[in-house]
């Protein structure tokens, strides 16, 4: 029996599925998800494998993550959907759209390009692995330990949202840190080199982010010939959280365009 990704569903109307980024979870998209739901969408906020409340597995690459999403659509009887993916979720969304173009009617990729990214989260992984979860008393305690490795309070807050209590009421991480620590190369991997998606596609990049540059336009159009690239002002890599108003405005205009 196939394992199905955990999700929450908001609103009624046209299907819209949203895939979070590395070390994130569906909660990161609740604010925007609620707004989409208020504007005529049935929004599926989804935890990818080894993240949030979804199942843990040693298998982790973009073909596998795309298969997870296909199983999710089939389980929820969704024939085709609008799809948003951020960062790692953007890679999953790209791979899925290329592999199953008939299941995606509009595609938005948030601050990631179809290219290889060298592993660059090692400082975060090292910091998370250094936290002694066996004796953890509070989120504040975890923050003090993480501060030794990560100075940015916003990034620490984002990561520590993943703390939860297990059946024994002990604090632990929702994500599968052991597997994700081993799969850094796969997380930076590109989608399959010859794949393409000919449907309507919008790439949104943060103006303060270096993830998508002008030099990436050629490779974007090689894989997504109908893609447009737009910039979100005053935003870095977490553009949907840093400027949600403009992210929503640009995405809704794209979804509503015939």
């Amino acid at each position: 029996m196939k394992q199905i990704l955990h999700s929450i569903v908001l609103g009624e109307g046209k299907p819209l599925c949203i895939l979070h980024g590395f070390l994130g979870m569906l909660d990161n998209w609740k604010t925007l998800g609620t707004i989409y739901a208020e504007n005529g969408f049935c929004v599926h906020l989804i935890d990818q494998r080894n993240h949030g409340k979804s199942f843990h597995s040693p298998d982790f690459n973009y073909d596998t993550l795309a298969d997870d999403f296909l199983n999710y659509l089939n389980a929820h009887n969704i024939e085709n959907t609008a799809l948003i993916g951020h960062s790692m979720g953007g890679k999953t969304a790209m791979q899925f759209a290329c592999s199953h173009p008939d299941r995606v009617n509009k595609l938005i990729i948030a601050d990631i390009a179809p290219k290889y990214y060298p592993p660059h989260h090692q400082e975060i992984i090292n910091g998370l692995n250094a936290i002694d979860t066996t004796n953890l008393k509070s989120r504040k305690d975890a923050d003090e330990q993480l501060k030794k490795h990560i100075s940015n309070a916003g990034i620490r807050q984002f990561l520590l949202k993943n703390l939860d209590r297990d059946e024994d009421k002990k604090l632990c991480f929702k994500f599968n840190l052991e597997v994700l620590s081993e799969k850094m190369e796969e997380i930076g991997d590109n989608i399959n080199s010859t794949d393409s998606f000919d449907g309507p596609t919008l790439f949104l990049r943060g103006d303060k982010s270096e993830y998508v540059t002008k030099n990436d336009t050629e490779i974007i159009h090689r894989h997504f010939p109908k893609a447009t690239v737009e910039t979100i002002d005053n935003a870095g890599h977490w553009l949907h959280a840093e400027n949600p108003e403009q992210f929503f405005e640009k995405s809704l205009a794209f979804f509503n365009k015939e």
Side-chain angles (χ1 to χ4, degrees), residues 84-99:
I84 297 174
H86 171 241
S87 196
M88 181 192 83
K91 285 279 186 74
T92 304
M94 284 189 259
Q95 187 59 65
F96 179 81
C98 290
S99 301

Side-chain angles (χ1 to χ4, degrees), residues 19 34 36 44 49 59 120 128 178 239:
L19 300 173
T34 301
Y36 288 123
H44 293 249
R49 72 165 59 197
D59 300 319
H120 54 284
L128 291 169
E178 182 182 359
L239 61 177

